[in-house]
Amino acid sequence: MRIAYTRRLAIRRAPRHAPGEGGGAMIDRRTILKGALAAGVLSRPAFAAGYPRVPFEALQQMADQEVARARAQHGARLAVVLGVVNPRGNGQLFLAAAPDLTHPGGRPMTLDGGTPFAIGSISKVFTACLHYQAHGPFKGTLGDWLAPRALSPGLARIPLADIARYQSGMAQDNQGGVHPPGVMASFGTMFPYLATLRPPSPPGSCYSYSNLSWSLLALAGSGAGQGSMVEAAERYDRALKAFGAGMGMSATGIFRSAMKPRLPAVYRRNWQPLPPAADYAPTRLTGVGAGGIVSTGSDMLAFLTASMGHGAAGMESPALAYQQGNIFSSPRCGGGKAPRTAYGWIMHDVVDASGPLALVTKDGAVAGFTAWMGFLAWQGTGAPSPFGVFALVNGPGAAGLGLRAMRRILVA
Protein backbone atom coordinates (compact mmCIF):
# COMPACT_ATOMS: atom_id res chain seq x y z
CA MET A 1 0.00 0.00 0.00
CA ARG A 2 1.24 3.45 -0.87
CA ILE A 3 1.25 5.72 2.18
CA ALA A 4 0.24 9.33 1.64
CA TYR A 5 2.06 11.93 3.67
CA THR A 6 2.67 15.62 3.93
CA ARG A 7 6.18 16.37 2.71
CA ARG A 8 8.73 18.02 4.96
CA LEU A 9 7.93 21.51 6.16
CA ALA A 10 10.93 23.81 6.37
CA ILE A 11 11.31 26.27 9.24
CA ARG A 12 14.06 28.86 8.68
CA ARG A 13 15.74 26.35 6.40
CA ALA A 14 19.43 26.81 5.66
CA PRO A 15 21.09 25.90 2.37
CA ARG A 16 21.65 22.16 2.17
CA HIS A 17 25.42 22.63 2.22
CA ALA A 18 25.62 25.54 4.62
CA PRO A 19 29.06 26.77 5.60
CA GLY A 20 30.53 24.60 8.32
CA GLU A 21 28.18 21.68 7.62
CA GLY A 22 30.71 19.60 5.73
CA GLY A 23 29.88 20.10 2.05
CA GLY A 24 30.87 16.95 0.22
CA ALA A 25 33.62 15.94 2.64
CA MET A 26 33.37 12.62 4.43
CA ILE A 27 33.39 12.54 8.20
CA ASP A 28 36.00 10.55 10.09
CA ARG A 29 34.00 8.58 12.65
CA ARG A 30 37.04 8.02 14.84
CA THR A 31 37.24 11.72 15.63
CA ILE A 32 33.58 12.41 16.41
CA LEU A 33 34.28 12.54 20.12
CA LYS A 34 37.34 14.22 21.57
CA GLY A 35 36.05 14.69 25.09
CA ALA A 36 34.03 13.07 27.81
CA LEU A 37 31.88 13.98 30.75
CA ALA A 38 33.97 15.58 33.47
CA ALA A 39 32.31 16.95 36.57
CA GLY A 40 29.04 16.99 34.69
CA VAL A 41 30.33 19.09 31.74
CA LEU A 42 30.73 17.66 28.26
CA SER A 43 33.64 18.62 26.06
CA ARG A 44 32.31 19.69 22.68
CA PRO A 45 32.14 16.82 20.13
CA ALA A 46 34.77 17.37 17.44
CA PHE A 47 33.76 16.53 13.88
CA ALA A 48 36.65 15.88 11.50
CA ALA A 49 35.52 17.65 8.33
CA GLY A 50 32.84 20.04 9.49
CA TYR A 51 29.40 18.94 10.61
CA PRO A 52 27.70 16.12 8.73
CA ARG A 53 24.92 17.20 6.40
CA VAL A 54 21.37 16.65 7.59
CA PRO A 55 20.14 13.62 5.56
CA PHE A 56 16.80 15.10 4.52
CA GLU A 57 15.53 12.26 2.35
CA ALA A 58 16.59 9.59 4.84
CA LEU A 59 14.73 11.31 7.66
CA GLN A 60 11.58 11.65 5.57
CA GLN A 61 11.84 7.98 4.72
CA MET A 62 12.14 7.10 8.40
CA ALA A 63 8.90 8.95 9.15
CA ASP A 64 7.17 7.32 6.16
CA GLN A 65 8.36 3.87 7.20
CA GLU A 66 7.03 4.36 10.73
CA VAL A 67 3.58 5.03 9.27
CA ALA A 68 3.81 2.10 6.84
CA ARG A 69 4.85 -0.36 9.58
CA ALA A 70 2.00 0.71 11.84
CA ARG A 71 -0.49 0.04 9.07
CA ALA A 72 1.04 -3.25 7.94
CA GLN A 73 1.56 -4.72 11.42
CA HIS A 74 -1.27 -3.21 13.46
CA GLY A 75 -3.79 -1.70 11.04
CA ALA A 76 -3.16 1.66 12.71
CA ARG A 77 -3.58 5.09 11.12
CA LEU A 78 -0.45 6.78 12.37
CA ALA A 79 0.60 10.44 12.33
CA VAL A 80 4.31 11.20 12.78
CA VAL A 81 6.05 14.54 13.23
CA LEU A 82 9.85 14.43 13.20
CA GLY A 83 11.69 17.69 13.88
CA VAL A 84 15.41 18.42 13.38
CA VAL A 85 17.59 21.43 14.24
CA ASN A 86 20.99 21.83 12.57
CA PRO A 87 24.23 23.52 13.72
CA ARG A 88 23.07 26.92 12.42
CA GLY A 89 19.91 26.78 14.52
CA ASN A 90 17.66 26.17 11.53
CA GLY A 91 14.82 23.72 12.03
CA GLN A 92 12.82 21.46 9.78
CA LEU A 93 9.75 19.26 10.19
CA PHE A 94 9.28 15.91 8.46
CA LEU A 95 5.63 14.85 8.41
CA ALA A 96 4.08 11.49 7.57
CA ALA A 97 0.52 10.27 8.02
CA ALA A 98 -1.78 7.49 6.91
CA PRO A 99 -4.00 8.61 4.01
CA ASP A 100 -7.11 7.88 6.08
CA LEU A 101 -5.98 9.66 9.25
CA THR A 102 -8.94 10.81 11.33
CA HIS A 103 -9.94 12.84 14.35
CA PRO A 104 -11.24 10.90 17.39
CA GLY A 105 -14.77 11.26 16.05
CA GLY A 106 -13.85 9.60 12.75
CA ARG A 107 -13.70 12.69 10.54
CA PRO A 108 -10.78 12.86 8.06
CA MET A 109 -7.93 15.19 8.95
CA THR A 110 -4.69 16.41 7.41
CA LEU A 111 -1.47 16.43 9.40
CA ASP A 112 0.50 19.68 9.49
CA GLY A 113 2.86 21.58 11.77
CA GLY A 114 -0.08 22.93 13.76
CA THR A 115 -1.66 19.56 14.57
CA PRO A 116 -1.79 19.15 18.38
CA PHE A 117 -0.21 16.18 20.17
CA ALA A 118 0.04 15.41 23.89
CA ILE A 119 3.74 15.48 24.83
CA GLY A 120 3.48 13.44 28.04
CA SER A 121 6.43 13.71 30.40
CA ILE A 122 8.30 16.25 28.30
CA SER A 123 5.93 18.44 30.34
CA LYS A 124 8.37 17.94 33.23
CA VAL A 125 11.03 19.94 31.37
CA PHE A 126 8.54 22.77 30.94
CA THR A 127 7.66 22.58 34.62
CA ALA A 128 11.34 22.97 35.52
CA CYS A 129 11.62 25.92 33.12
CA LEU A 130 8.53 27.63 34.52
CA HIS A 131 9.70 27.30 38.10
CA TYR A 132 13.12 28.75 37.31
CA GLN A 133 11.63 31.58 35.25
CA ALA A 134 9.31 32.60 38.08
CA HIS A 135 11.30 31.75 41.19
CA GLY A 136 14.94 31.15 40.28
CA PRO A 137 16.90 28.06 41.42
CA PHE A 138 14.95 25.30 43.12
CA LYS A 139 15.20 26.41 46.73
CA GLY A 140 13.16 25.31 49.73
CA THR A 141 11.03 22.25 50.42
CA LEU A 142 7.54 21.07 49.53
CA GLY A 143 6.45 22.02 53.04
CA ASP A 144 7.67 25.58 52.50
CA TRP A 145 5.99 26.00 49.13
CA LEU A 146 2.68 24.24 49.78
CA ALA A 147 1.96 25.68 53.24
CA PRO A 148 -0.54 25.78 54.83
CA ARG A 149 -1.55 22.50 53.13
CA ALA A 150 -0.91 19.56 55.44
CA LEU A 151 1.78 17.18 54.18
CA SER A 152 3.31 14.22 55.95
CA PRO A 153 6.66 15.06 57.61
CA GLY A 154 8.48 12.95 55.02
CA LEU A 155 6.90 14.82 52.11
CA ALA A 156 7.21 18.24 53.70
CA ARG A 157 10.99 17.96 54.00
CA ILE A 158 11.64 17.03 50.32
CA PRO A 159 13.70 19.80 48.65
CA LEU A 160 12.34 21.03 45.33
CA ALA A 161 15.83 20.58 43.86
CA ASP A 162 15.71 16.85 44.60
CA ILE A 163 12.40 16.53 42.76
CA ALA A 164 13.77 18.41 39.73
CA ARG A 165 16.77 16.04 39.49
CA TYR A 166 14.61 12.87 39.98
CA GLN A 167 15.91 12.20 43.49
CA SER A 168 12.78 12.95 45.54
CA GLY A 169 12.84 9.63 47.39
CA MET A 170 9.20 9.05 46.41
CA ALA A 171 8.16 5.75 44.86
CA GLN A 172 8.52 5.18 41.13
CA ASP A 173 4.97 5.38 39.81
CA ASN A 174 5.15 5.58 36.02
CA GLN A 175 3.84 2.01 35.65
CA GLY A 176 0.84 2.60 37.93
CA GLY A 177 -0.29 0.57 40.92
CA VAL A 178 1.45 2.74 43.54
CA HIS A 179 -1.18 5.26 44.62
CA PRO A 180 -4.88 4.55 45.27
CA PRO A 181 -7.13 4.94 42.21
CA GLY A 182 -8.70 8.38 41.98
CA VAL A 183 -6.45 9.97 44.57
CA MET A 184 -5.39 12.68 42.06
CA ALA A 185 -8.98 13.55 41.14
CA SER A 186 -9.04 16.76 43.18
CA PHE A 187 -7.35 18.63 46.00
CA GLY A 188 -10.04 17.17 48.24
CA THR A 189 -8.80 13.62 47.60
CA MET A 190 -5.12 14.36 47.03
CA PHE A 191 -4.10 16.42 50.05
CA PRO A 192 -5.62 14.09 52.69
CA TYR A 193 -3.61 11.30 51.06
CA LEU A 194 -0.43 13.41 51.05
CA ALA A 195 -0.88 14.13 54.76
CA THR A 196 -0.17 10.46 55.51
CA LEU A 197 2.10 9.40 52.63
CA ARG A 198 5.58 8.23 53.69
CA PRO A 199 8.25 8.32 50.95
CA PRO A 200 10.19 5.02 50.88
CA SER A 201 13.65 6.63 50.53
CA PRO A 202 15.37 9.74 51.92
CA PRO A 203 15.36 12.68 49.47
CA GLY A 204 18.57 13.06 47.51
CA SER A 205 19.67 9.48 48.13
CA CYS A 206 18.59 7.69 44.94
CA TYR A 207 16.93 7.99 41.53
CA SER A 208 13.23 7.31 41.08
CA TYR A 209 10.78 8.38 38.41
CA SER A 210 7.92 9.85 40.40
CA ASN A 211 5.09 11.54 38.51
CA LEU A 212 3.50 12.52 41.81
CA SER A 213 6.63 14.41 42.88
CA TRP A 214 6.63 16.39 39.63
CA SER A 215 2.93 17.14 40.03
CA LEU A 216 3.74 18.58 43.45
CA LEU A 217 6.66 20.61 42.07
CA ALA A 218 4.34 22.19 39.51
CA LEU A 219 1.66 22.83 42.12
CA ALA A 220 4.21 24.40 44.45
CA GLY A 221 5.34 26.81 41.74
CA SER A 222 1.71 27.59 40.87
CA GLY A 223 0.84 28.68 44.39
CA ALA A 224 -1.38 25.71 45.18
CA GLY A 225 -1.06 26.33 48.91
CA GLN A 226 -4.10 28.54 48.43
CA GLY A 227 -7.13 28.29 46.17
CA SER A 228 -8.62 25.49 44.10
CA MET A 229 -7.22 22.85 41.78
CA VAL A 230 -8.69 24.67 38.78
CA GLU A 231 -7.11 27.96 39.82
CA ALA A 232 -3.69 26.34 40.22
CA ALA A 233 -3.96 24.69 36.79
CA GLU A 234 -4.97 27.97 35.19
CA ARG A 235 -2.00 29.76 36.78
CA TYR A 236 0.29 27.05 35.43
CA ASP A 237 -1.24 27.43 31.95
CA ARG A 238 -0.83 31.21 31.95
CA ALA A 239 2.82 30.87 32.95
CA LEU A 240 3.32 28.22 30.27
CA LYS A 241 1.84 30.43 27.56
CA ALA A 242 3.93 33.42 28.63
CA PHE A 243 7.09 31.31 28.66
CA GLY A 244 6.33 29.85 25.23
CA ALA A 245 5.50 33.22 23.70
CA GLY A 246 9.09 34.31 24.31
CA MET A 247 10.21 31.54 21.95
CA GLY A 248 7.52 32.05 19.33
CA MET A 249 5.31 29.25 20.63
CA SER A 250 1.62 30.02 20.24
CA ALA A 251 -0.24 26.71 20.61
CA THR A 252 1.23 25.02 23.70
CA GLY A 253 -0.91 24.68 26.82
CA ILE A 254 -2.56 22.29 29.22
CA PHE A 255 -5.14 19.93 27.75
CA ARG A 256 -8.66 21.25 27.37
CA SER A 257 -11.65 19.29 26.13
CA ALA A 258 -12.09 21.67 23.19
CA MET A 259 -8.78 20.37 21.80
CA LYS A 260 -10.10 16.84 21.30
CA PRO A 261 -11.68 17.39 17.84
CA ARG A 262 -8.32 18.69 16.53
CA LEU A 263 -6.23 15.77 17.82
CA PRO A 264 -5.52 12.70 15.71
CA ALA A 265 -7.23 9.49 16.82
CA VAL A 266 -4.73 7.58 18.94
CA TYR A 267 -3.45 4.09 19.83
CA ARG A 268 -2.43 2.67 23.20
CA ARG A 269 0.83 0.83 23.88
CA ASN A 270 -0.77 -2.44 22.71
CA TRP A 271 -1.89 -0.72 19.48
CA GLN A 272 -5.54 -0.83 20.50
CA PRO A 273 -7.34 2.41 19.54
CA LEU A 274 -8.48 4.68 22.33
CA PRO A 275 -12.31 4.61 22.27
CA PRO A 276 -13.86 7.65 20.56
CA ALA A 277 -15.80 8.43 23.74
CA ALA A 278 -12.61 8.71 25.83
CA ASP A 279 -11.97 12.25 27.04
CA TYR A 280 -8.33 12.20 25.78
CA ALA A 281 -7.12 14.14 28.83
CA PRO A 282 -3.50 13.00 29.40
CA THR A 283 -3.63 13.71 33.17
CA ARG A 284 -5.89 15.03 35.87
CA LEU A 285 -5.68 18.77 36.51
CA THR A 286 -3.61 18.00 39.59
CA GLY A 287 -0.96 16.38 37.39
CA VAL A 288 -0.61 18.79 34.47
CA GLY A 289 2.98 19.63 35.41
CA ALA A 290 3.99 15.97 35.21
CA GLY A 291 2.44 15.15 31.84
CA GLY A 292 -0.56 17.27 30.89
CA ILE A 293 0.76 19.57 28.14
CA VAL A 294 -0.43 19.56 24.52
CA SER A 295 1.77 21.10 21.83
CA THR A 296 2.38 21.08 18.07
CA GLY A 297 5.26 20.25 15.77
CA SER A 298 5.95 23.92 15.06
CA ASP A 299 5.98 24.81 18.76
CA MET A 300 8.16 21.86 19.72
CA LEU A 301 10.64 22.84 17.02
CA ALA A 302 10.85 26.31 18.57
CA PHE A 303 11.37 24.81 22.05
CA LEU A 304 14.05 22.42 20.80
CA THR A 305 15.87 25.30 19.09
CA ALA A 306 15.87 27.37 22.27
CA SER A 307 16.88 24.42 24.45
CA MET A 308 19.89 23.87 22.19
CA GLY A 309 21.05 27.45 22.78
CA HIS A 310 19.95 28.84 19.41
CA GLY A 311 16.94 30.85 20.59
CA ALA A 312 16.64 34.59 21.08
CA ALA A 313 18.34 34.29 24.48
CA GLY A 314 20.85 31.89 22.96
CA MET A 315 23.58 30.62 25.19
CA GLU A 316 22.94 33.43 27.69
CA SER A 317 19.68 31.97 29.00
CA PRO A 318 20.21 31.46 32.74
CA ALA A 319 17.39 28.93 32.96
CA LEU A 320 18.89 26.72 30.27
CA ALA A 321 22.37 26.96 31.74
CA TYR A 322 21.11 26.08 35.20
CA GLN A 323 18.89 23.20 34.11
CA GLN A 324 21.35 21.53 31.76
CA GLY A 325 24.68 22.52 33.27
CA ASN A 326 24.47 20.36 36.39
CA ILE A 327 24.56 16.59 35.97
CA PHE A 328 23.64 14.26 38.82
CA SER A 329 24.21 10.58 39.37
CA SER A 330 22.85 8.27 42.04
CA PRO A 331 21.82 4.61 42.33
CA ARG A 332 18.26 3.63 41.54
CA CYS A 333 16.02 3.49 44.60
CA GLY A 334 15.81 -0.18 45.49
CA GLY A 335 19.07 -0.96 43.68
CA GLY A 336 20.27 -1.11 40.11
CA LYS A 337 21.73 1.26 37.56
CA ALA A 338 20.10 4.65 37.10
CA PRO A 339 20.47 7.31 34.39
CA ARG A 340 22.35 10.52 34.93
CA THR A 341 20.01 13.47 35.19
CA ALA A 342 19.96 17.24 34.90
CA TYR A 343 17.04 19.40 36.10
CA GLY A 344 14.10 17.93 34.20
CA TRP A 345 16.29 16.34 31.55
CA ILE A 346 17.76 12.83 31.47
CA MET A 347 21.18 12.10 29.96
CA HIS A 348 21.54 9.38 27.33
CA ASP A 349 24.74 8.10 25.71
CA VAL A 350 24.82 7.18 22.04
CA VAL A 351 27.74 4.76 21.81
CA ASP A 352 29.68 3.77 18.71
CA ALA A 353 33.27 2.78 17.97
CA SER A 354 34.46 6.35 18.57
CA GLY A 355 33.05 6.44 22.10
CA PRO A 356 29.95 7.87 23.80
CA LEU A 357 28.17 11.01 22.65
CA ALA A 358 26.10 12.50 25.45
CA LEU A 359 22.55 13.51 24.61
CA VAL A 360 20.23 15.64 26.73
CA THR A 361 16.87 13.88 26.40
CA LYS A 362 13.31 13.54 27.64
CA ASP A 363 10.55 11.24 26.49
CA GLY A 364 6.86 11.11 27.23
CA ALA A 365 4.00 8.62 27.03
CA VAL A 366 0.36 9.08 27.93
CA ALA A 367 -2.68 7.17 26.72
CA GLY A 368 -2.39 7.23 22.94
CA PHE A 369 0.58 9.58 22.50
CA THR A 370 4.36 9.26 22.72
CA ALA A 371 6.98 11.98 22.38
CA TRP A 372 10.78 12.27 22.52
CA MET A 373 13.29 15.12 22.40
CA GLY A 374 17.08 14.94 22.42
CA PHE A 375 20.12 16.99 21.46
CA LEU A 376 23.88 16.84 21.82
CA ALA A 377 24.91 18.22 25.22
CA TRP A 378 26.36 21.71 24.86
CA GLN A 379 26.55 23.41 28.26
CA GLY A 380 30.16 24.26 29.01
CA THR A 381 31.33 23.85 25.41
CA GLY A 382 31.20 27.54 24.46
CA ALA A 383 28.81 26.96 21.55
CA PRO A 384 25.19 25.87 21.01
CA SER A 385 24.30 22.24 20.47
CA PRO A 386 24.95 21.24 16.85
CA PHE A 387 22.11 18.74 16.41
CA GLY A 388 18.73 18.09 17.98
CA VAL A 389 15.70 15.93 17.20
CA PHE A 390 12.16 15.48 18.47
CA ALA A 391 9.39 13.06 17.52
CA LEU A 392 5.62 13.15 18.11
CA VAL A 393 3.45 10.08 17.42
CA ASN A 394 -0.24 9.31 18.01
CA GLY A 395 0.74 5.85 19.24
CA PRO A 396 3.81 3.96 20.46
CA GLY A 397 7.32 4.49 19.15
CA ALA A 398 8.42 8.13 19.40
CA ALA A 399 11.50 7.43 21.53
CA GLY A 400 12.82 4.76 19.20
CA LEU A 401 12.18 6.91 16.14
CA GLY A 402 13.88 9.92 17.68
CA LEU A 403 16.99 7.97 18.67
CA ARG A 404 17.23 6.35 15.23
CA ALA A 405 16.96 9.76 13.60
CA MET A 406 19.71 11.18 15.80
CA ARG A 407 22.03 8.27 15.05
CA ARG A 408 21.30 8.64 11.32
CA ILE A 409 22.22 12.34 11.44
CA LEU A 410 25.49 11.67 13.26
CA VAL A 411 26.70 9.17 10.64
CA ALA A 412 25.53 11.16 7.61
Side-chain angles (χ1 to χ4, degrees), residues 165-167 172 205-209 327-341 346-349:
R165 63 175 69 116
Y166 301 91
Q167 296 177 358
Q172 180 153 327
S205 65
C206 55
Y207 167 89
S208 70
Y209 196 91
I327 309 300
F328 307 96
S329 181
S330 65
R332 187 179 296 273
C333 295
K337 186 177 180 180
R340 302 186 316 279
T341 64
I346 292 177
M347 307 302 292
H348 181 95
D349 288 337

Side-chain angles (χ1 to χ4, degrees), residues 9 50 52 69 101 105 209 277 279 286 307 340 395:
L9 174 67
R69 276 195 299 269
L101 183 69
Y209 196 91
D279 64 12
T286 52
S307 296
R340 302 186 316 279

Side-chain angles (χ1 to χ4, degrees), residues 307-322:
S307 296
M308 292 170 62
H310 293 291
M315 297 187 297
E316 306 305 318
S317 168
L320 293 175
Y322 187 82

Side-chain angles (χ1 to χ4, degrees), residues 145-149 187 222-229 231-232 235:
W145 285 84
L146 287 173
R149 304 283 187 184
F187 280 0
S222 300
Q226 304 286 343
S228 69
M229 173 183 69
E231 290 169 339
R235 286 192 293 268

